[in-house]
Amino acid sequence: MRYVSQLFQPIISIPKNAKIKNTEITCKSQKLLLECGLVRPTAAGLFTLLPLARRALDKLEALVQKHIESTGAQRISFPALASESLWERSGRLAGGGPELMTVKDRHDKKYLLAPTHEESIADLLADVGPLSYKQLPLLLYQIGNKYRDEHRPKHGLLRAREFRMLDAYGAHAAADCAREQYERVTGAYRRLFDVLQLNVHRVEAPTGEMGGSLSHEWQCVAGAGEDAVDVCLSCSHARLADPSERDAERRCQCGGTLRRGNSVEVGHTFILGTKYSEPLRATFTPASGAPQPVVMSCYGIGITRLLAASVEALSTEQSITWPRAIAPFNTIVIGPKEGSKEWISHGWEGVKQMAHSIEEVQQEEVLVDDRHSLTIGKRLMMADKMGYPTIVVCGKHSAESPPRYEVLHRSPPNSTSPHQSPPSTTLLTHSELLHSLADNGRQERIPVL
């Protein structure tokens, strides 16, 4: 178990009714992550992830990895630096713009801090190729830091210069094979976002500088989003919003009304065709005939952006709400105030035993608020702001026979109830509490496949 008193969590306390003058704080997720001691800015668009944010990100990365590997993907790691010559050969260097970060080594060779690795994967396949058609389809992925020299980084982790990203790359013998794999991978995307309890829409999008024949953005509905989507109230079809359209033109093909909302792009997927394989000579040998360029696809998820988008989409202005799957701690136990009659009857050892029994049921670490000099109310208010999904309070009822514990469960809003509701509160005995937590755990273990 872990103790609140030992956490490195530099909380920023803002007096009640105080006006925030820092104009750099531009959205809810940025404000909450900073105030709650989860992130710390180091420069414009650059952030240190503190221990609780790192725990949440580790959980999110494990979840992303689990879902992408359910499609048969294999993990690799590319260097962050990519040779400029590869981007010249693909034709993307000239169109990359000022967002590309470049460096030179001591031999005056030029490199990019690659924001994506299409050229690198094509070069790898060319280096080991030609592949046999029997080796296809092939899906390789990595999770690592990416860099983009944003002209105006803002909204905290939603638009940063350094960010964590999943990027996966498919190699196929034909376009129809690429489309089949595309649907498998995007199906895994849908299951991932369902586990995170996020309202994310797959919408057709321009292929842009990436090129290819097909592109979809994955847009998470959130108030601070810089994009917007139109969603049909009848058939749930979604599309990227066209700002030039008048309200009268915003009708779905089914005849239903389209509702517009701000959104954050948390993923992007493409069928690339041979845009990169041809110039970089990534080929395969078919059953008969000469080698042919592989047909490529690619799949990205901005993991740190997805973390921030989850907070942005689900939280209130006053407190964080986490998807339970990625909360830094799922459960916090708040013991009685030192010197109270509950403290005398329950004691510090009783609080630790309670936390240990919960750990055995949930099979993960429990956080214990051991700051016994503070009132239960003060600690409860702080735990609520942090958004821990389950709060167990050893309050006045813990001195009863049998002892009962106040249990608060926080659930994210959903499509049928889009507004945040207060945590549900119940009084449970020790055995009832463990049974309840075990049931919740079984219900929340959504299968990947």
Side-chain angles (χ1 to χ4, degrees), residues 9-33:
Q9 187 185 6
I11 292 172
I12 298 176
S13 297
I14 299 176
K16 190 176 181 180
N17 300 323
K19 293 183 179 180
I20 300 175
K21 297 181 179 179
N22 186 352
T23 57
E24 297 300 315
I25 298 178
T26 56
C27 68
K28 177 172 53 179
S29 59
Q30 182 183 13
K31 172 179 175 288
L32 289 171
L33 292 174

mmCIF file with all atom_site columns, all heavy atoms in Angstrom, residues 9-33:
data_model
loop_
_atom_site.group_PDB
_atom_site.id
_atom_site.type_symbol
_atom_site.label_atom_id
_atom_site.label_alt_id
_atom_site.label_comp_id
_atom_site.label_asym_id
_atom_site.label_entity_id
_atom_site.label_seq_id
_atom_site.pdbx_PDB_ins_code
_atom_site.Cartn_x
_atom_site.Cartn_y
_atom_site.Cartn_z
_atom_site.occupancy
_atom_site.B_iso_or_equiv
_atom_site.pdbx_formal_charge
_atom_site.auth_seq_id
_atom_site.auth_comp_id
_atom_site.auth_asym_id
_atom_site.auth_atom_id
_atom_site.pdbx_PDB_model_num
ATOM 1   N N   . GLN A 1 9  ? 3.688   15.162 -4.427  1.00 0.00 ? 9  GLN A N   1
ATOM 2   C CA  . GLN A 1 9  ? 2.496   15.732 -5.049  1.00 0.00 ? 9  GLN A CA  1
ATOM 3   C C   . GLN A 1 9  ? 2.392   17.209 -4.688  1.00 0.00 ? 9  GLN A C   1
ATOM 4   O O   . GLN A 1 9  ? 1.642   17.587 -3.790  1.00 0.00 ? 9  GLN A O   1
ATOM 5   C CB  . GLN A 1 9  ? 1.240   14.965 -4.582  1.00 0.00 ? 9  GLN A CB  1
ATOM 6   C CG  . GLN A 1 9  ? -0.042  15.366 -5.285  1.00 0.00 ? 9  GLN A CG  1
ATOM 7   C CD  . GLN A 1 9  ? -1.248  14.661 -4.699  1.00 0.00 ? 9  GLN A CD  1
ATOM 8   O OE1 . GLN A 1 9  ? -1.156  13.949 -3.701  1.00 0.00 ? 9  GLN A OE1 1
ATOM 9   N NE2 . GLN A 1 9  ? -2.405  14.865 -5.314  1.00 0.00 ? 9  GLN A NE2 1
ATOM 10  N N   . PRO A 1 10 ? 3.134   18.063 -5.387  1.00 0.00 ? 10 PRO A N   1
ATOM 11  C CA  . PRO A 1 10 ? 3.129   19.498 -5.050  1.00 0.00 ? 10 PRO A CA  1
ATOM 12  C C   . PRO A 1 10 ? 1.818   20.174 -5.444  1.00 0.00 ? 10 PRO A C   1
ATOM 13  O O   . PRO A 1 10 ? 1.675   20.727 -6.533  1.00 0.00 ? 10 PRO A O   1
ATOM 14  C CB  . PRO A 1 10 ? 4.314   20.051 -5.847  1.00 0.00 ? 10 PRO A CB  1
ATOM 15  C CG  . PRO A 1 10 ? 4.485   19.099 -6.987  1.00 0.00 ? 10 PRO A CG  1
ATOM 16  C CD  . PRO A 1 10 ? 4.077   17.758 -6.488  1.00 0.00 ? 10 PRO A CD  1
ATOM 17  N N   . ILE A 1 11 ? 0.845   20.107 -4.532  1.00 0.00 ? 11 ILE A N   1
ATOM 18  C CA  . ILE A 1 11 ? -0.484  20.674 -4.777  1.00 0.00 ? 11 ILE A CA  1
ATOM 19  C C   . ILE A 1 11 ? -0.417  22.199 -4.748  1.00 0.00 ? 11 ILE A C   1
ATOM 20  O O   . ILE A 1 11 ? 0.296   22.783 -3.933  1.00 0.00 ? 11 ILE A O   1
ATOM 21  C CB  . ILE A 1 11 ? -1.479  20.152 -3.725  1.00 0.00 ? 11 ILE A CB  1
ATOM 22  C CG1 . ILE A 1 11 ? -1.713  18.653 -3.930  1.00 0.00 ? 11 ILE A CG1 1
ATOM 23  C CG2 . ILE A 1 11 ? -2.797  20.918 -3.773  1.00 0.00 ? 11 ILE A CG2 1
ATOM 24  C CD1 . ILE A 1 11 ? -2.533  18.017 -2.829  1.00 0.00 ? 11 ILE A CD1 1
ATOM 25  N N   . ILE A 1 12 ? -1.143  22.824 -5.655  1.00 0.00 ? 12 ILE A N   1
ATOM 26  C CA  . ILE A 1 12 ? -1.256  24.283 -5.670  1.00 0.00 ? 12 ILE A CA  1
ATOM 27  C C   . ILE A 1 12 ? -2.579  24.658 -5.022  1.00 0.00 ? 12 ILE A C   1
ATOM 28  O O   . ILE A 1 12 ? -3.647  24.317 -5.539  1.00 0.00 ? 12 ILE A O   1
ATOM 29  C CB  . ILE A 1 12 ? -1.174  24.836 -7.107  1.00 0.00 ? 12 ILE A CB  1
ATOM 30  C CG1 . ILE A 1 12 ? 0.183   24.504 -7.720  1.00 0.00 ? 12 ILE A CG1 1
ATOM 31  C CG2 . ILE A 1 12 ? -1.430  26.344 -7.121  1.00 0.00 ? 12 ILE A CG2 1
ATOM 32  C CD1 . ILE A 1 12 ? 0.305   24.929 -9.166  1.00 0.00 ? 12 ILE A CD1 1
ATOM 33  N N   . SER A 1 13 ? -2.519  25.318 -3.882  1.00 0.00 ? 13 SER A N   1
ATOM 34  C CA  . SER A 1 13 ? -3.739  25.715 -3.170  1.00 0.00 ? 13 SER A CA  1
ATOM 35  C C   . SER A 1 13 ? -4.171  27.096 -3.638  1.00 0.00 ? 13 SER A C   1
ATOM 36  O O   . SER A 1 13 ? -3.396  28.055 -3.585  1.00 0.00 ? 13 SER A O   1
ATOM 37  C CB  . SER A 1 13 ? -3.495  25.727 -1.654  1.00 0.00 ? 13 SER A CB  1
ATOM 38  O OG  . SER A 1 13 ? -3.174  24.439 -1.197  1.00 0.00 ? 13 SER A OG  1
ATOM 39  N N   . ILE A 1 14 ? -5.413  27.184 -4.091  1.00 0.00 ? 14 ILE A N   1
ATOM 40  C CA  . ILE A 1 14 ? -5.971  28.458 -4.547  1.00 0.00 ? 14 ILE A CA  1
ATOM 41  C C   . ILE A 1 14 ? -7.076  28.874 -3.581  1.00 0.00 ? 14 ILE A C   1
ATOM 42  O O   . ILE A 1 14 ? -8.031  28.116 -3.369  1.00 0.00 ? 14 ILE A O   1
ATOM 43  C CB  . ILE A 1 14 ? -6.523  28.335 -5.986  1.00 0.00 ? 14 ILE A CB  1
ATOM 44  C CG1 . ILE A 1 14 ? -5.390  27.956 -6.949  1.00 0.00 ? 14 ILE A CG1 1
ATOM 45  C CG2 . ILE A 1 14 ? -7.193  29.634 -6.426  1.00 0.00 ? 14 ILE A CG2 1
ATOM 46  C CD1 . ILE A 1 14 ? -5.848  27.725 -8.368  1.00 0.00 ? 14 ILE A CD1 1
ATOM 47  N N   . PRO A 1 15 ? -6.962  30.026 -2.939  1.00 0.00 ? 15 PRO A N   1
ATOM 48  C CA  . PRO A 1 15 ? -7.991  30.464 -1.992  1.00 0.00 ? 15 PRO A CA  1
ATOM 49  C C   . PRO A 1 15 ? -9.365  30.522 -2.645  1.00 0.00 ? 15 PRO A C   1
ATOM 50  O O   . PRO A 1 15 ? -9.498  30.783 -3.845  1.00 0.00 ? 15 PRO A O   1
ATOM 51  C CB  . PRO A 1 15 ? -7.514  31.867 -1.585  1.00 0.00 ? 15 PRO A CB  1
ATOM 52  C CG  . PRO A 1 15 ? -6.049  31.878 -1.882  1.00 0.00 ? 15 PRO A CG  1
ATOM 53  C CD  . PRO A 1 15 ? -5.862  31.001 -3.088  1.00 0.00 ? 15 PRO A CD  1
ATOM 54  N N   . LYS A 1 16 ? -10.370 30.242 -1.850  1.00 0.00 ? 16 LYS A N   1
ATOM 55  C CA  . LYS A 1 16 ? -11.745 30.281 -2.339  1.00 0.00 ? 16 LYS A CA  1
ATOM 56  C C   . LYS A 1 16 ? -12.082 31.663 -2.890  1.00 0.00 ? 16 LYS A C   1
ATOM 57  O O   . LYS A 1 16 ? -11.727 32.677 -2.311  1.00 0.00 ? 16 LYS A O   1
ATOM 58  C CB  . LYS A 1 16 ? -12.694 29.917 -1.199  1.00 0.00 ? 16 LYS A CB  1
ATOM 59  C CG  . LYS A 1 16 ? -14.127 29.689 -1.666  1.00 0.00 ? 16 LYS A CG  1
ATOM 60  C CD  . LYS A 1 16 ? -14.994 29.237 -0.507  1.00 0.00 ? 16 LYS A CD  1
ATOM 61  C CE  . LYS A 1 16 ? -16.426 28.991 -0.974  1.00 0.00 ? 16 LYS A CE  1
ATOM 62  N NZ  . LYS A 1 16 ? -17.282 28.541 0.149   1.00 0.00 ? 16 LYS A NZ  1
ATOM 63  N N   . ASN A 1 17 ? -12.755 31.684 -4.043  1.00 0.00 ? 17 ASN A N   1
ATOM 64  C CA  . ASN A 1 17 ? -13.184 32.901 -4.736  1.00 0.00 ? 17 ASN A CA  1
ATOM 65  C C   . ASN A 1 17 ? -12.028 33.718 -5.318  1.00 0.00 ? 17 ASN A C   1
ATOM 66  O O   . ASN A 1 17 ? -12.232 34.838 -5.790  1.00 0.00 ? 17 ASN A O   1
ATOM 67  C CB  . ASN A 1 17 ? -14.017 33.811 -3.816  1.00 0.00 ? 17 ASN A CB  1
ATOM 68  C CG  . ASN A 1 17 ? -15.267 33.107 -3.318  1.00 0.00 ? 17 ASN A CG  1
ATOM 69  O OD1 . ASN A 1 17 ? -15.881 32.344 -4.068  1.00 0.00 ? 17 ASN A OD1 1
ATOM 70  N ND2 . ASN A 1 17 ? -15.637 33.358 -2.069  1.00 0.00 ? 17 ASN A ND2 1
ATOM 71  N N   . ALA A 1 18 ? -10.800 33.164 -5.280  1.00 0.00 ? 18 ALA A N   1
ATOM 72  C CA  . ALA A 1 18 ? -9.665  33.883 -5.877  1.00 0.00 ? 18 ALA A CA  1
ATOM 73  C C   . ALA A 1 18 ? -9.763  33.825 -7.391  1.00 0.00 ? 18 ALA A C   1
ATOM 74  O O   . ALA A 1 18 ? -10.249 32.858 -7.972  1.00 0.00 ? 18 ALA A O   1
ATOM 75  C CB  . ALA A 1 18 ? -8.345  33.276 -5.410  1.00 0.00 ? 18 ALA A CB  1
ATOM 76  N N   . LYS A 1 19 ? -9.304  34.886 -8.059  1.00 0.00 ? 19 LYS A N   1
ATOM 77  C CA  . LYS A 1 19 ? -9.289  34.942 -9.512  1.00 0.00 ? 19 LYS A CA  1
ATOM 78  C C   . LYS A 1 19 ? -7.911  34.519 -10.013 1.00 0.00 ? 19 LYS A C   1
ATOM 79  O O   . LYS A 1 19 ? -6.892  35.018 -9.560  1.00 0.00 ? 19 LYS A O   1
ATOM 80  C CB  . LYS A 1 19 ? -9.613  36.348 -10.005 1.00 0.00 ? 19 LYS A CB  1
ATOM 81  C CG  . LYS A 1 19 ? -11.040 36.776 -9.709  1.00 0.00 ? 19 LYS A CG  1
ATOM 82  C CD  . LYS A 1 19 ? -11.330 38.162 -10.287 1.00 0.00 ? 19 LYS A CD  1
ATOM 83  C CE  . LYS A 1 19 ? -12.770 38.574 -10.013 1.00 0.00 ? 19 LYS A CE  1
ATOM 84  N NZ  . LYS A 1 19 ? -13.068 39.927 -10.563 1.00 0.00 ? 19 LYS A NZ  1
ATOM 85  N N   . ILE A 1 20 ? -7.918  33.566 -10.943 1.00 0.00 ? 20 ILE A N   1
ATOM 86  C CA  . ILE A 1 20 ? -6.662  33.065 -11.491 1.00 0.00 ? 20 ILE A CA  1
ATOM 87  C C   . ILE A 1 20 ? -6.177  34.034 -12.572 1.00 0.00 ? 20 ILE A C   1
ATOM 88  O O   . ILE A 1 20 ? -6.861  34.285 -13.556 1.00 0.00 ? 20 ILE A O   1
ATOM 89  C CB  . ILE A 1 20 ? -6.842  31.654 -12.086 1.00 0.00 ? 20 ILE A CB  1
ATOM 90  C CG1 . ILE A 1 20 ? -7.311  30.693 -10.999 1.00 0.00 ? 20 ILE A CG1 1
ATOM 91  C CG2 . ILE A 1 20 ? -5.552  31.155 -12.705 1.00 0.00 ? 20 ILE A CG2 1
ATOM 92  C CD1 . ILE A 1 20 ? -7.645  29.307 -11.498 1.00 0.00 ? 20 ILE A CD1 1
ATOM 93  N N   . LYS A 1 21 ? -4.997  34.607 -12.379 1.00 0.00 ? 21 LYS A N   1
ATOM 94  C CA  . LYS A 1 21 ? -4.470  35.589 -13.327 1.00 0.00 ? 21 LYS A CA  1
ATOM 95  C C   . LYS A 1 21 ? -3.560  34.972 -14.383 1.00 0.00 ? 21 LYS A C   1
ATOM 96  O O   . LYS A 1 21 ? -3.169  35.631 -15.331 1.00 0.00 ? 21 LYS A O   1
ATOM 97  C CB  . LYS A 1 21 ? -3.716  36.679 -12.565 1.00 0.00 ? 21 LYS A CB  1
ATOM 98  C CG  . LYS A 1 21 ? -4.593  37.488 -11.621 1.00 0.00 ? 21 LYS A CG  1
ATOM 99  C CD  . LYS A 1 21 ? -3.800  38.570 -10.912 1.00 0.00 ? 21 LYS A CD  1
ATOM 100 C CE  . LYS A 1 21 ? -4.686  39.390 -9.983  1.00 0.00 ? 21 LYS A CE  1
ATOM 101 N NZ  . LYS A 1 21 ? -3.919  40.441 -9.265  1.00 0.00 ? 21 LYS A NZ  1
ATOM 102 N N   . ASN A 1 22 ? -3.189  33.686 -14.191 1.00 0.00 ? 22 ASN A N   1
ATOM 103 C CA  . ASN A 1 22 ? -2.281  33.033 -15.131 1.00 0.00 ? 22 ASN A CA  1
ATOM 104 C C   . ASN A 1 22 ? -3.025  32.743 -16.431 1.00 0.00 ? 22 ASN A C   1
ATOM 105 O O   . ASN A 1 22 ? -3.795  31.787 -16.532 1.00 0.00 ? 22 ASN A O   1
ATOM 106 C CB  . ASN A 1 22 ? -1.734  31.736 -14.531 1.00 0.00 ? 22 ASN A CB  1
ATOM 107 C CG  . ASN A 1 22 ? -0.669  31.103 -15.412 1.00 0.00 ? 22 ASN A CG  1
ATOM 108 O OD1 . ASN A 1 22 ? -0.441  31.543 -16.533 1.00 0.00 ? 22 ASN A OD1 1
ATOM 109 N ND2 . ASN A 1 22 ? -0.030  30.080 -14.894 1.00 0.00 ? 22 ASN A ND2 1
ATOM 110 N N   . THR A 1 23 ? -2.799  33.564 -17.432 1.00 0.00 ? 23 THR A N   1
ATOM 111 C CA  . THR A 1 23 ? -3.507  33.409 -18.705 1.00 0.00 ? 23 THR A CA  1
ATOM 112 C C   . THR A 1 23 ? -3.009  32.211 -19.495 1.00 0.00 ? 23 THR A C   1
ATOM 113 O O   . THR A 1 23 ? -3.595  31.855 -20.512 1.00 0.00 ? 23 THR A O   1
ATOM 114 C CB  . THR A 1 23 ? -3.346  34.683 -19.564 1.00 0.00 ? 23 THR A CB  1
ATOM 115 O OG1 . THR A 1 23 ? -1.942  34.936 -19.758 1.00 0.00 ? 23 THR A OG1 1
ATOM 116 C CG2 . THR A 1 23 ? -3.987  35.865 -18.900 1.00 0.00 ? 23 THR A CG2 1
ATOM 117 N N   . GLU A 1 24 ? -1.909  31.570 -19.047 1.00 0.00 ? 24 GLU A N   1
ATOM 118 C CA  . GLU A 1 24 ? -1.422  30.378 -19.728 1.00 0.00 ? 24 GLU A CA  1
ATOM 119 C C   . GLU A 1 24 ? -2.311  29.169 -19.454 1.00 0.00 ? 24 GLU A C   1
ATOM 120 O O   . GLU A 1 24 ? -2.247  28.181 -20.168 1.00 0.00 ? 24 GLU A O   1
ATOM 121 C CB  . GLU A 1 24 ? 0.020   30.075 -19.304 1.00 0.00 ? 24 GLU A CB  1
ATOM 122 C CG  . GLU A 1 24 ? 1.025   31.158 -19.688 1.00 0.00 ? 24 GLU A CG  1
ATOM 123 C CD  . GLU A 1 24 ? 1.080   31.376 -21.193 1.00 0.00 ? 24 GLU A CD  1
ATOM 124 O OE1 . GLU A 1 24 ? 1.117   30.378 -21.932 1.00 0.00 ? 24 GLU A OE1 1
ATOM 125 O OE2 . GLU A 1 24 ? 1.067   32.536 -21.619 1.00 0.00 ? 24 GLU A OE2 1
ATOM 126 N N   . ILE A 1 25 ? -3.098  29.220 -18.395 1.00 0.00 ? 25 ILE A N   1
ATOM 127 C CA  . ILE A 1 25 ? -4.025  28.122 -18.113 1.00 0.00 ? 25 ILE A CA  1
ATOM 128 C C   . ILE A 1 25 ? -5.288  28.356 -18.927 1.00 0.00 ? 25 ILE A C   1
ATOM 129 O O   . ILE A 1 25 ? -6.050  29.275 -18.659 1.00 0.00 ? 25 ILE A O   1
ATOM 130 C CB  . ILE A 1 25 ? -4.340  28.042 -16.611 1.00 0.00 ? 25 ILE A CB  1
ATOM 131 C CG1 . ILE A 1 25 ? -3.068  27.745 -15.820 1.00 0.00 ? 25 ILE A CG1 1
ATOM 132 C CG2 . ILE A 1 25 ? -5.381  26.959 -16.337 1.00 0.00 ? 25 ILE A CG2 1
ATOM 133 C CD1 . ILE A 1 25 ? -3.262  27.704 -14.323 1.00 0.00 ? 25 ILE A CD1 1
ATOM 134 N N   . THR A 1 26 ? -5.493  27.511 -19.926 1.00 0.00 ? 26 THR A N   1
ATOM 135 C CA  . THR A 1 26 ? -6.549  27.778 -20.910 1.00 0.00 ? 26 THR A CA  1
ATOM 136 C C   . THR A 1 26 ? -7.653  26.742 -20.934 1.00 0.00 ? 26 THR A C   1
ATOM 137 O O   . THR A 1 26 ? -8.604  26.881 -21.701 1.00 0.00 ? 26 THR A O   1
ATOM 138 C CB  . THR A 1 26 ? -5.934  27.880 -22.314 1.00 0.00 ? 26 THR A CB  1
ATOM 139 O OG1 . THR A 1 26 ? -5.198  26.668 -22.588 1.00 0.00 ? 26 THR A OG1 1
ATOM 140 C CG2 . THR A 1 26 ? -5.002  29.078 -22.426 1.00 0.00 ? 26 THR A CG2 1
ATOM 141 N N   . CYS A 1 27 ? -7.542  25.662 -20.121 1.00 0.00 ? 27 CYS A N   1
ATOM 142 C CA  . CYS A 1 27 ? -8.602  24.655 -20.165 1.00 0.00 ? 27 CYS A CA  1
ATOM 143 C C   . CYS A 1 27 ? -8.662  23.915 -18.824 1.00 0.00 ? 27 CYS A C   1
ATOM 144 O O   . CYS A 1 27 ? -7.759  23.997 -17.995 1.00 0.00 ? 27 CYS A O   1
ATOM 145 C CB  . CYS A 1 27 ? -8.404  23.677 -21.321 1.00 0.00 ? 27 CYS A CB  1
ATOM 146 S SG  . CYS A 1 27 ? -6.983  22.595 -21.140 1.00 0.00 ? 27 CYS A SG  1
ATOM 147 N N   . LYS A 1 28 ? -9.739  23.181 -18.658 1.00 0.00 ? 28 LYS A N   1
ATOM 148 C CA  . LYS A 1 28 ? -10.036 22.489 -17.404 1.00 0.00 ? 28 LYS A CA  1
ATOM 149 C C   . LYS A 1 28 ? -8.980  21.433 -17.051 1.00 0.00 ? 28 LYS A C   1
ATOM 150 O O   . LYS A 1 28 ? -8.519  21.373 -15.909 1.00 0.00 ? 28 LYS A O   1
ATOM 151 C CB  . LYS A 1 28 ? -11.420 21.843 -17.539 1.00 0.00 ? 28 LYS A CB  1
ATOM 152 C CG  . LYS A 1 28 ? -11.875 21.029 -16.370 1.00 0.00 ? 28 LYS A CG  1
ATOM 153 C CD  . LYS A 1 28 ? -13.340 20.620 -16.541 1.00 0.00 ? 28 LYS A CD  1
ATOM 154 C CE  . LYS A 1 28 ? -13.619 19.929 -17.850 1.00 0.00 ? 28 LYS A CE  1
ATOM 155 N NZ  . LYS A 1 28 ? -15.028 19.513 -18.006 1.00 0.00 ? 28 LYS A NZ  1
ATOM 156 N N   . SER A 1 29 ? -8.604  20.603 -18.019 1.00 0.00 ? 29 SER A N   1
ATOM 157 C CA  . SER A 1 29 ? -7.646  19.532 -17.719 1.00 0.00 ? 29 SER A CA  1
ATOM 158 C C   . SER A 1 29 ? -6.291  20.097 -17.316 1.00 0.00 ? 29 SER A C   1
ATOM 159 O O   . SER A 1 29 ? -5.643  19.594 -16.392 1.00 0.00 ? 29 SER A O   1
ATOM 160 C CB  . SER A 1 29 ? -7.484  18.599 -18.926 1.00 0.00 ? 29 SER A CB  1
ATOM 161 O OG  . SER A 1 29 ? -7.028  19.308 -20.067 1.00 0.00 ? 29 SER A OG  1
ATOM 162 N N   . GLN A 1 30 ? -5.859  21.151 -17.986 1.00 0.00 ? 30 GLN A N   1
ATOM 163 C CA  . GLN A 1 30 ? -4.582  21.783 -17.642 1.00 0.00 ? 30 GLN A CA  1
ATOM 164 C C   . GLN A 1 30 ? -4.618  22.312 -16.207 1.00 0.00 ? 30 GLN A C   1
ATOM 165 O O   . GLN A 1 30 ? -3.685  22.114 -15.430 1.00 0.00 ? 30 GLN A O   1
ATOM 166 C CB  . GLN A 1 30 ? -4.289  22.911 -18.630 1.00 0.00 ? 30 GLN A CB  1
ATOM 167 C CG  . GLN A 1 30 ? -2.964  23.621 -18.410 1.00 0.00 ? 30 GLN A CG  1
ATOM 168 C CD  . GLN A 1 30 ? -2.782  24.788 -19.379 1.00 0.00 ? 30 GLN A CD  1
ATOM 169 O OE1 . GLN A 1 30 ? -3.729  25.199 -20.037 1.00 0.00 ? 30 GLN A OE1 1
ATOM 170 N NE2 . GLN A 1 30 ? -1.579  25.312 -19.453 1.00 0.00 ? 30 GLN A NE2 1
ATOM 171 N N   . LYS A 1 31 ? -5.714  22.984 -15.848 1.00 0.00 ? 31 LYS A N   1
ATOM 172 C CA  . LYS A 1 31 ? -5.864  23.562 -14.509 1.00 0.00 ? 31 LYS A CA  1
ATOM 173 C C   . LYS A 1 31 ? -5.867  22.462 -13.443 1.00 0.00 ? 31 LYS A C   1
ATOM 174 O O   . LYS A 1 31 ? -5.162  22.556 -12.433 1.00 0.00 ? 31 LYS A O   1
ATOM 175 C CB  . LYS A 1 31 ? -7.163  24.374 -14.460 1.00 0.00 ? 31 LYS A CB  1
ATOM 176 C CG  . LYS A 1 31 ? -7.565  24.892 -13.083 1.00 0.00 ? 31 LYS A CG  1
ATOM 177 C CD  . LYS A 1 31 ? -8.850  25.699 -13.195 1.00 0.00 ? 31 LYS A CD  1
ATOM 178 C CE  . LYS A 1 31 ? -9.367  26.134 -11.833 1.00 0.00 ? 31 LYS A CE  1
ATOM 179 N NZ  . LYS A 1 31 ? -9.925  24.992 -11.055 1.00 0.00 ? 31 LYS A NZ  1
ATOM 180 N N   . LEU A 1 32 ? -6.648  21.406 -13.655 1.00 0.00 ? 32 LEU A N   1
ATOM 181 C CA  . LEU A 1 32 ? -6.770  20.360 -12.651 1.00 0.00 ? 32 LEU A CA  1
ATOM 182 C C   . LEU A 1 32 ? -5.480  19.569 -12.480 1.00 0.00 ? 32 LEU A C   1
ATOM 183 O O   . LEU A 1 32 ? -5.072  19.255 -11.355 1.00 0.00 ? 32 LEU A O   1
ATOM 184 C CB  . LEU A 1 32 ? -7.923  19.415 -13.032 1.00 0.00 ? 32 LEU A CB  1
ATOM 185 C CG  . LEU A 1 32 ? -9.339  19.993 -12.889 1.00 0.00 ? 32 LEU A CG  1
ATOM 186 C CD1 . LEU A 1 32 ? -10.359 19.046 -13.499 1.00 0.00 ? 32 LEU A CD1 1
ATOM 187 C CD2 . LEU A 1 32 ? -9.674  20.243 -11.418 1.00 0.00 ? 32 LEU A CD2 1
ATOM 188 N N   . LEU A 1 33 ? -4.828  19.221 -13.585 1.00 0.00 ? 33 LEU A N   1
ATOM 189 C CA  . LEU A 1 33 ? -3.597  18.445 -13.487 1.00 0.00 ? 33 LEU A CA  1
ATOM 190 C C   . LEU A 1 33 ? -2.496  19.240 -12.787 1.00 0.00 ? 33 LEU A C   1
ATOM 191 O O   . LEU A 1 33 ? -1.676  18.673 -12.059 1.00 0.00 ? 33 LEU A O   1
ATOM 192 C CB  . LEU A 1 33 ? -3.136  18.016 -14.886 1.00 0.00 ? 33 LEU A CB  1
ATOM 193 C CG  . LEU A 1 33 ? -4.028  16.993 -15.595 1.00 0.00 ? 33 LEU A CG  1
ATOM 194 C CD1 . LEU A 1 33 ? -3.546  16.771 -17.029 1.00 0.00 ? 33 LEU A CD1 1
ATOM 195 C CD2 . LEU A 1 33 ? -4.074  15.674 -14.844 1.00 0.00 ? 33 LEU A CD2 1
#
